[in-house]
Amino acid sequence: MHGTRRTRETPEAIKARKEREQSKLKEYLSLTDHVMARKKSSDWSKEAFDATTKLLQINPEFYTVWNYRRNVMLNGLFMNSTPDIINDILSEDLSMTTAALKAHPKVYWIWNHRRWCLENVPEGPAGTQDWKKANWNRELAVVEKMLDADARNFHAWNYRRYVLANTPEQRPETAELAYTTRKIEANFSNFSAWHQRSKVYVSLWESGKLNKDKCIEAELELVKNAMYTDPNDQSAWLYHRWLIGDGQNHHILASEIAAIEELLEEQPDSKWCLESLVHYRRLLVRNHAMVIGKEESERILRQCIEFLQQLQTLDTPRKRRYQDILDRLSVAKQ
Amino acid sequence: MPLDKLYVDKHVAYIKSLGENKDDLTYHLTAHLRMNAIYWGLTALSIMKHKDALDRDEMIEYVMSCWDDEAGAFGPHPDHDPHILSTLSAIQILTMQDALYRVDVPRVVKFILSLQQPSGVFAGDSFGEIDTRFSYIAVNALSLLGHLHELDVDRTVQYILACKNYDGGFGNVIGAESHSGQVFVCVAALAILDRLDVIDEEMLGWWLAERQLPNGGLNGRPEKLEDVCYSFWVLSALATLKKIPWIDSDKLTAFILSAQDPENGGIADRPGDMVDVFHTHFGIAGLSLLGYPGLEDLDPVYCMPASLIEARGLRKGWEALPRRTAA
Ligand SMILES: [Zn+2]
């Protein structure tokens, strides 16, 4: 159980609670038996469907019942229904699971059921996509509400990507960029939003819709903002590392090193400044040794060693990692 | 009571008591996790050297009562639908109880292989939810059953690789954010398939080491709270990469111990919370990898007693901390 505080119950309190629970328990068990008996006899009736609604409202984790519910729809409710009735049933299930998600935002089975519902929405009247569009468009609003409630819910982010990829009315990907900007500006620590941003950019670059070099420049500005706001926040540093990548661009690498050095002057004990400088300077030496020359390379590596030693006292839990890098640097020097 | 030692007797008693709560609503609301819960309980007991605290025959009969003859797989509870999650737990339990002979192996293998999708990822059941968790489960189960050679390894690895992010970690599907739990399953699957070469060890090792928070606990993603279960997942991946020393193991040990309920037994997600068998299992599994005195070795890749995996010739090249002797 996640995040439920422990309470000390006396034996009497436990007994009293169990007595109070008795009627609920009996009701739950008899409802379970009832649904399972119908399932066993391949009952695809509306009554069976309603019974699953009742049971799932008590226990949305009971995936067997979600499975049964879908089978009741496929083999029963849908069989003699016109497409508009099927659409109504599915839309209603989407509404029902919206309510369920509010109470249980991390239950995989509810999210799965929504996907199934969406994928089974029939074509609209006269072959139009109207019903599909209406249902899928509503999903984006639902998932945005879920992310307003918990901006790091990975179920919601995954679902968001799923909806964006499959919705019949595709939005321009730049709209998603704007969404992540909003999320990041609301909270720089939201790594989920930074992550999403990196994925959207890759897609936009690969399709040629945006110019990578120009984007990177603007992104470095945004992330610098975040780094200065809270130099201890990992999210921005991780994203920064993505922007730098393998450090092939000498100009960017050098100017970012200078920018972090500036921040380090303000925050001389910043672990993330030191750590990143070690990483980027090693990239500089590895990729651009020809440009910077032997002497400068050696000076930079000496600085790295100094910083790693400083990190070992600043960030003791990870001192062995810094030692491993130090060992590798001294082997390389020999 | 001080929280600087492991209350083995209390935890054994707690796990034994779990089956006696049939008048408790929560017991019934979690029926869909029963098979997993037995695996968690049995593994924790084995690591604490109290494997016999639960009745073996009763356990095997329960597992077999969850066999779905139509699907050729196990559900978590009699009459519940079969799923790859409960099927792996069943195989793990039967392996630990030396009762795999009860299983119709060819049928289970067929069930598992039937869940592989064209992209290479596995679905959890016939309804088609996909997740790298299920890929790991398939790989783990096929390996335990001695049928890994029937797997399309390249396709399986290809999908896992497609879930790799720039931070070195893995998500549950393509495009998803890195998450300790997914890192555990992806790294362990790659270890079993002898394909750790596709991992960016430096980057991932760094990401994993940065999961440790000042209180010693580990989190599942950047800027999130620590949790005993995430602590295990991170630790397992670090063990597989032979990098446990990259975090402060004393602080992590203290964090896990502090999440115990010293009176009624069990371990919670974090100090002061309600205990459950899931966190009890992952807490004890983590302590084993950290070399805590008096425990059995745990295999971080299969998340089962190491001696058992070794005896089957399945051990991979992981490194846990050496077992300490009690002070
Ligand atoms: Zn947890």
Side-chain angles (χ1 to χ4, degrees):
Chain A
M1 258 168 268
H2 283 118
T4 319
R5 294 306 287 175
R6 181 155 77 226
T7 47
R8 228 5 113 220
E9 277 184 302
T10 60
E12 297 81 52
I14 295 173
K15 202 170 156 239
R17 175 173 56 81
K18 287 194 171 170
E19 265 163 29
R20 275 197 316 276
E21 271 180 17
Q22 269 316 299
S23 63
K24 258 189 173 168
L25 176 60
K26 259 177 89 181
E27 189 195 346
Y28 177 73
L29 290 179
S30 81
L31 185 56
T32 301
D33 287 346
H34 175 80
V35 170
M36 291 310 218
R38 285 184 184 265
K39 175 175 180 282
K40 257 192 189 158
S41 64
S42 302
D43 178 343
W44 313 129
S45 66
K46 176 77 169 67
E47 291 73 34
F49 184 77
D50 292 341
T52 65
T53 310
K54 227 173 133 189
L55 186 49
L56 289 167
Q57 267 158 2
I58 304 172
N59 188 6
E61 298 257 22
F62 203 157
Y63 71 83
T64 299
V65 179
W66 286 113
N67 293 349
Y68 176 42
R69 182 180 183 84
R70 289 188 286 270
N71 280 330
V72 172
M73 290 195 228
L74 289 173
N75 302 314
L77 307 194
F78 290 177
M79 292 303 272
N80 299 310
S81 297
T82 53
D84 60 320
I85 296 207
I86 294 177
N87 181 44
D88 286 348
I89 295 170
L90 289 168
S91 302
E92 238 170 82
D93 252 38
L94 285 167
S95 308
M96 177 192 89
T97 48
T98 305
L101 276 180
K102 278 187 191 139
H104 312 277
K106 292 181 179 172
V107 173
Y108 284 94
W109 316 108
I110 307 178
W111 291 103
N112 292 344
H113 187 69
R114 286 189 88 83
R115 288 185 169 90
W116 183 87
C117 289
L118 283 174
E119 285 161 19
N120 281 278
V121 172
E123 291 219 325
T128 66
Q129 299 291 302
D130 293 357
W131 293 339
K132 285 183 195 275
K133 282 180 193 166
N135 280 301
W136 281 89
N137 287 343
R138 208 171 41 220
E139 286 310 280
L140 220 44
V142 169
V143 83
E144 268 168 42
K145 275 225 173 71
M146 296 300 294
L147 286 173
D148 287 343
D150 174 4
R152 298 297 305 276
N153 183 340
F154 75 84
H155 298 275
W157 279 106
N158 279 344
Y159 191 72
R160 181 177 181 85
R161 281 182 282 271
Y162 161 82
V163 172
L164 289 172
N166 295 290
T167 185
E169 266 178 310
Q170 288 286 316
R171 303 188 320 165
E173 276 185 294
T174 44
E176 188 58 6
L177 222 42
Y179 180 72
T180 62
T181 310
R182 272 209 318 278
K183 288 312 241 191
I184 290 167
E185 280 171 354
N187 181 2
F188 277 138
S189 292
N190 187 346
F191 184 72
S192 305
W194 290 108
H195 166 85
Q196 174 78 336
R197 198 170 174 84
S198 73
K199 296 290 173 188
V200 176
Y201 266 126
V202 168
S203 168
L204 283 164
W205 296 336
E206 279 173 359
S207 62
K209 289 194 185 102
L210 285 179
N211 176 282
K212 183 173 173 183
D213 292 342
K214 276 196 187 134
C215 292
I216 297 247
E217 239 167 84
E219 289 304 290
L220 286 168
E221 239 358 90
L222 174 72
V223 80
K224 190 191 276 177
N225 234 328
M227 278 152 48
Y228 270 82
T229 307
D230 180 2
N232 292 317
D233 193 305
Q234 292 188 20
S235 311
W237 292 103
L238 274 167
Y239 189 72
H240 190 268
R241 201 153 289 195
W242 173 68
L243 291 172
I244 300 294
D246 57 5
Q248 292 299 340
N249 185 318
H250 178 231
H251 166 72
I252 287 180
L253 192 55
S255 74
E256 285 307 298
I257 288 174
I260 300 170
E261 281 169 341
E262 219 172 281
L263 180 56
L264 181 66
E265 263 171 48
E266 274 179 41
Q267 312 264 346
D269 283 340
S270 164
K271 165 198 157 171
W272 289 96
C273 283
L274 292 166
E275 213 280 337
S276 302
L277 282 173
V278 169
H279 180 77
Y280 294 141
R281 283 172 173 168
R282 287 175 72 203
L283 284 184
L284 191 64
V285 171
R286 191 181 309 154
N287 295 329
H288 308 286
M290 298 287 272
V291 190
I292 55 180
K294 189 161 179 266
E295 234 167 85
E296 177 67 359
S297 291
E298 277 170 11
R299 194 188 64 83
I300 290 173
L301 287 178
R302 275 198 305 276
Q303 271 181 330
C304 286
I305 290 172
E306 220 172 276
F307 279 6
L308 285 163
Q309 285 162 343
Q310 204 177 333
L311 280 163
Q312 284 189 300
T313 53
L314 259 180
D315 185 26
T316 46
R318 284 163 278 269
K319 62 172 186 276
R320 273 292 297 273
R321 177 171 170 260
Y322 302 124
Q323 188 59 49
D324 282 358
I325 302 173
L326 275 170
D327 292 348
R328 219 164 308 137
L329 283 181
S330 49
V331 168
K333 259 173 48 189
Q334 279 158 14
Chain B
M1 284 165 107
L3 285 169
D4 56 358
K5 62 171 194 127
L6 185 68
Y7 289 93
V8 169
D9 292 345
K10 298 276 185 186
H11 300 320
V12 171
Y14 165 72
I15 293 169
K16 279 184 75 166
S17 76
L18 289 169
E20 291 152 15
N21 294 331
K22 296 194 173 73
D23 56 346
D24 207 293
L25 183 59
T26 317
Y27 175 86
H28 296 280
L29 289 176
T30 53
H32 64 284
L33 287 173
R34 191 77 69 238
M35 190 70 85
N36 302 66
I38 295 172
Y39 155 73
W40 295 325
L42 179 62
T43 309
L45 287 172
S46 301
I47 297 303
M48 293 188 291
K49 304 185 178 177
H50 281 271
K51 188 183 151 199
D52 298 332
L54 294 175
D55 188 90
R56 176 177 181 270
D57 294 340
E58 208 181 296
M59 188 182 293
I60 294 170
E61 285 325 306
Y62 177 82
V63 171
M64 294 316 296
S65 75
C66 298
W67 172 253
D68 185 307
D69 200 45
E70 207 178 307
F74 291 92
H77 190 275
D79 292 341
H80 287 222
D81 287 349
H83 197 282
I84 199 168
L85 281 163
S86 41
T87 299
L88 174 65
S89 289
I91 291 168
Q92 288 176 309
I93 295 164
L94 295 174
T95 303
M96 285 190 265
Q97 297 288 23
D98 197 19
L100 257 187
Y101 64 91
R102 297 284 303 268
V103 181
D104 186 341
V105 173
R107 292 206 62 201
V108 179
V109 169
K110 201 174 149 206
F111 168 80
I112 294 170
L113 291 173
S114 76
L115 295 174
Q116 187 162 35
Q117 308 298 302
S119 67
V121 70
F122 279 77
D125 62 13
S126 57
F127 282 92
E129 180 195 0
I130 55 162
D131 193 310
T132 47
R133 276 185 305 154
F134 305 145
S135 300
Y136 164 67
I137 289 172
V139 168
N140 186 339
L142 290 171
S143 166
L144 287 175
L145 294 171
H147 282 256
L148 205 51
H149 57 276
E150 290 183 47
L151 175 73
D152 185 338
V153 173
D154 287 344
R155 223 155 31 107
T156 309
V157 172
Q158 206 172 43
Y159 189 88
I160 294 174
L161 253 184
C163 295
K164 190 168 107 176
N165 292 310
Y166 70 85
D167 51 27
F170 297 85
N172 69 328
V173 291
I174 293 173
E177 183 184 347
S178 297
H179 176 294
S180 303
Q182 305 300 144
V183 171
F184 158 62
V185 294
C186 291
V187 170
L190 292 169
I192 294 173
L193 298 173
D194 295 319
R195 290 304 311 274
L196 285 177
D197 60 292
V198 300
I199 287 177
D200 184 346
E201 280 195 27
E202 287 302 303
M203 193 71 176
L204 179 55
W206 173 60
W207 188 86
L208 289 166
E210 292 299 342
R211 297 301 105 245
Q212 188 162 37
L213 297 175
N215 69 0
L218 310 181
N219 62 12
R221 291 182 282 159
E223 304 300 325
K224 296 276 287 178
L225 283 178
E226 69 287 350
D227 185 326
V228 164
C229 65
Y230 292 118
S231 298
F232 171 77
W233 292 324
V234 172
L235 199 56
S236 159
L238 284 171
T240 308
L241 301 179
K242 304 182 182 174
K243 286 185 173 22
I244 291 187
W246 281 19
I247 57 167
D248 187 330
S249 51
D250 290 342
K251 280 181 117 180
L252 177 56
T253 302
F255 168 74
I256 297 173
L257 291 175
S258 73
Q260 295 177 100
D261 179 342
E263 279 155 51
N264 298 324
I267 300 177
D269 58 346
R270 56 184 77 96
D273 278 0
M274 286 268 274
V275 304
D276 58 66
V277 66
F278 173 82
H279 288 95
T280 304
H281 158 77
F282 285 116
I284 288 163
L287 289 173
S288 172
L289 292 177
L290 291 166
Y292 192 87
L295 296 177
E296 283 287 330
D297 289 350
L298 177 104
D299 185 300
V301 171
Y302 290 86
C303 201
M304 283 166 67
S307 54
L308 244 149
I309 298 301
E310 212 161 326
R312 305 177 84 79
L314 299 175
R315 193 195 191 281
K316 299 298 169 183
W318 49 270
E319 256 170 37
L321 295 186
R323 182 85 34 226
R324 296 192 301 278
T325 47

